[in-house]
């Protein structure tokens, strides 16, 4: 009998213990929202929590206080969201009013004072301040300890060491303690970002604040690639700029030519960490990356040259890959940096400096040379030559170096004839008169030779010439006319010095020139 009594007592004790360990059940109230006749659309997630509600969800907000009206909505519908205390769990991130007069209140979710990553609800009001739509994600039934065992400096070290092991060093920002719902579980994590310029990174890390394990990591600057639009120097619309976006700002940085980031269909081969970037230089190089708030790039004096520089450099990468099967100018997908509006050395010029191309500012009667697709391609042509034949920039090899850049500039212009009318002039968009500074079809027009040697009156005699900046390194920009005339004849044909040439077209002529540069010239 005693054994039976002890058994009953033990059973009651265990039952009470189990009951004491169960979390207190919270009464959220019934779900009135689902059956509300004023609700026209009601959609939930897989846990039955509303993710999109549309209808006549309120009358006009009292005194126009849309935040208070939104909180009233959540208070009245705690049962639908399984929300214990909306006033404590929802904090306003911002309130926006659009061009139609509609207000949009964005709330972040918090649990015991800790922000819940991904917990965002947005209330949308009509112009007369009536709540019409609520959408977003609310994480229900949270039950975790919000006291961290891992110090934040330990989390920073964990993340920084991990990033260094495969990507490179960066500068960590201050961590934030968050609740992180991930793959069916809720974690208390230290969340931090680590920034780097070379290679470009904005790495997000979430480190478990209990165990110290890395729960999640991603390079956020690589994950967001958007289309931008703007106006070129010549006033034409450019609607397909490859732009990156982060922290509310648009950047002229293109990651979409990377091998594993083909979001815009370029089929690029750049390795992870390399990219195409356009800077606005001013009086120093390389300047700062071009930025914009609304992703419409149209400020004439600064942004329009950047629009052209970014457009043509991206297309030049595509052209090298598709025409020559060359992964960028060095064959390994090197980063391509273009700086525009450089003003410290003069006007109306452009150059390749061994690591980037630079487009100068412009004077009266001129436009930015960024407006010239042949000039942009010409400068990247110098980069190709440096990594192929490496023709020394003086005398005859320098003239051939210049000539190859003109060849690829013209071929590039013909390849992208929808962006600019192709012709055999170089840099015609640079002058407001439309006059170029070299002619490949008739070099004599601009005082350049079209025939090799001193028998041509415009030939610069390189014999006994000491190369210097003052003599254009013995005529590299003048004697290039010979190679230019050869390329024109090879492409279009014609009669020259009594010889008839049948042209084979620009598309094939540039392949011959490139092959010579890659394998034969020295």
């Amino acid at each position: 009998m005693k054994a039976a009594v002890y058994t009953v007592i033990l059973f009651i004790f265990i039952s009470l213990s189990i009951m004491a360990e169960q979390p207190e059940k919270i009464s959220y109230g019934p779900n009135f929202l689902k059956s509300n006749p004023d609700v026209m659309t009601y959609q939930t997630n897989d846990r039955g929590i509303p993710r999109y509600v549309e209808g006549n969800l309120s009358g006009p907000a009292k005194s126009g206080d849309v935040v208070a009206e939104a909180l009233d909505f959540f208070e009245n519908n705690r049962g639908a969201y399984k929300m214990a205390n909306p006033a404590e769990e929802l904090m306003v991130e911002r309130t926006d009013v659009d061009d139609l007069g509609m207000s949009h209140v964005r709330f972040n979710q918090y649990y015991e004072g800790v922000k819940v990553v991904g917990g965002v609800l947005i209330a949308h009001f009509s112009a007369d301040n009536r709540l019409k739509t609520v959408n977003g994600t609310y994480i229900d039934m949270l039950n975790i300890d919000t006291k961290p065992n891992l110090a934040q400096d330990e989390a920073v070290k964990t993340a920084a060491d991990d990033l260094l092991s495969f990507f490179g060093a960066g500068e960590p920002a201050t961590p934030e303690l968050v609740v992180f719902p991930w793959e069916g579980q809720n974690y208390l994590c230290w969340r931090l970002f680590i920034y780097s310029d070379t290679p470009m990174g904005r790495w997000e890390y979430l480190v478990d604040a209990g165990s110290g394990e890395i729960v999640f990591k991603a390079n956020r600057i690589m994950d967001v690639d958007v289309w931008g639009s703007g106006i070129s120097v010549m006033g034409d619309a450019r609607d397909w700029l490859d732009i990156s976006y982060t922290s509310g700002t648009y950047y002229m940085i293109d990651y979409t030519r990377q091998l594993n980031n083909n979001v815009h269909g370029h089929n690029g081969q750049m390795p992870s960490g390399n990219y195409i970037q356009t800077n606005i230089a001013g009086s120093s190089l390389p300047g700062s990356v071009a930025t914009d708030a609304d992703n419409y790039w149209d400020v004439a004096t600064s942004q329009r040259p950047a629009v052209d520089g970014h457009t043509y450099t991206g297309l030049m990468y595509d052209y090298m890959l598709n025409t020559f099967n060359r992964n960028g100018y060095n064959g390994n997908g090197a980063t391509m940096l273009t700086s525009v509006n450089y003003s410290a050395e003069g006007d109306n010029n452009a150059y390749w400096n061994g690591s980037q191309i630079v487009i100068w500012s412009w004077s009266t009667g001129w436009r930015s040379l960024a407006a010239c697709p042949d000039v942009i391609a010409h400068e990247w042509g110098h980069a190709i030559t440096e990594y192929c034949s490496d023709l020394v920039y003086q005398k005859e090899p320098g003239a051939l170096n210049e000539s190859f850049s003109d060849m690829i500039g013209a071929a590039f212009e013909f390849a992208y004839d929808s962006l600019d009318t192709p012709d055999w002039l170089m840099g015609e968009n640079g002058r407001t008169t439309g006059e170029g500074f070299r002619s490949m079809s008739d070099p004599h027009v601009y005082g350049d030779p079209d025939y090799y040697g001193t028998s041509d009156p415009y030939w610069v005699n390189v014999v006994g010439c000491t190369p210097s900046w003052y003599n254009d390194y013995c005529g590299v920009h003048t004697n290039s006319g010979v190679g230019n005339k050869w390329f024109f004849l090879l492409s279009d044909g014609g009669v020259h010095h009594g010889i008839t040439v049948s042209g084979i077209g620009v598309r094939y002529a540039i392949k011959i020139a490139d092959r010579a540069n890659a394998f034969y010239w020295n």
Side-chain angles (χ1 to χ4, degrees), residues 59 77 127 136 138 158 215 225 319 322 349 373 389 398 403 405 413 459 494:
N77 294 286
Y138 177 78
T158 297
V215 179
D225 298 294
Y319 183 73
N322 297 328
N349 203 353
S389 60
S403 183
S405 282
E413 195 171 83
W459 175 263

Side-chain angles (χ1 to χ4, degrees), residues 23-262:
E24 180 184 354
K25 293 194 73 174
I26 300 173
S27 176
Y28 304 106
N31 183 354
F32 296 113
L33 193 58
K34 188 174 183 180
S35 57
N36 187 334
D38 291 326
V39 173
M40 293 178 289
T41 305
Y42 182 80
Q43 298 176 351
T44 65
N45 62 20
D46 56 4
R47 293 176 59 83
I49 305 301
R51 62 182 177 86
Y52 182 85
V53 182
E54 182 183 3
N56 298 313
L57 305 181
S58 80
K62 298 173 185 177
S63 303
D65 191 344
V66 292
V67 172
E69 191 66 39
L71 288 173
D72 282 347
F73 168 83
F74 291 116
E75 178 64 32
N76 295 332
N77 294 286
R78 291 189 299 120
Y81 288 90
K82 298 179 183 175
M83 192 182 300
N85 191 331
E88 293 183 359
E89 296 180 53
L90 300 179
M91 303 295 172
V92 177
E93 179 184 350
R94 69 174 187 270
T95 301
D96 300 312
V97 179
D98 64 22
D99 55 357
L100 298 178
M102 296 180 63
S103 297
H104 311 272
V105 185
R106 180 180 292 265
F107 295 93
N108 287 323
Q109 180 185 352
Y110 284 77
Y111 175 74
E112 295 184 359
V114 179
K115 186 176 180 179
V116 180
V117 176
V120 175
L121 290 169
I122 313 169
H124 309 269
F125 290 81
S126 61
D128 60 355
N129 293 330
R130 296 174 185 267
L131 183 60
K132 292 294 187 180
T133 307
V134 177
N135 70 286
T137 299
Y138 177 78
I139 311 298
D140 68 302
M141 304 297 286
L142 289 172
N143 183 29
I144 63 173
D145 187 357
T146 56
K147 294 182 176 62
N149 293 324
L150 184 74
Q152 68 174 31
D153 57 344
E154 294 176 355
V156 170
K157 186 178 187 307
T158 297
D161 288 348
D162 179 77
L163 187 64
L164 184 62
S165 69
F166 71 93
F167 185 78
E171 185 66 29
T174 303
E176 176 188 15
L177 191 65
V178 297
V179 174
F180 180 50
W182 179 245
E183 296 185 336
Q185 296 188 55
N186 298 312
Y187 299 87
L188 183 71
C189 287
W190 288 109
R191 182 190 194 188
L192 69 146
F193 288 85
I194 304 178
Y195 299 88
S196 65
D197 293 327
T198 307
M200 182 68 73
R202 182 177 180 261
W203 283 87
E204 179 184 15
Y205 272 83
L206 287 126
V207 182
D208 194 312
S211 67
E213 297 294 319
I214 296 172
V215 179
F216 180 86
K217 62 185 176 184
N219 192 344
R220 289 309 189 188
I221 210 165
M222 291 174 60
D223 288 345
V224 185
D225 298 294
V226 297
W227 292 117
S229 58
I231 302 298
S232 73
V233 172
M234 300 296 288
D236 299 318
R238 297 286 184 254
D239 294 325
W240 304 106
L241 297 172
D242 296 288
I243 301 296
S244 66
Y245 174 81
T246 184
S247 300
T249 301
Y250 295 91
Y251 296 83
M252 272 197 178
I253 307 175
D254 171 20
Y255 299 104
T256 67
R257 265 78 178 186
Q258 292 176 348
L259 177 63
N260 297 315
N261 191 31
N262 193 30

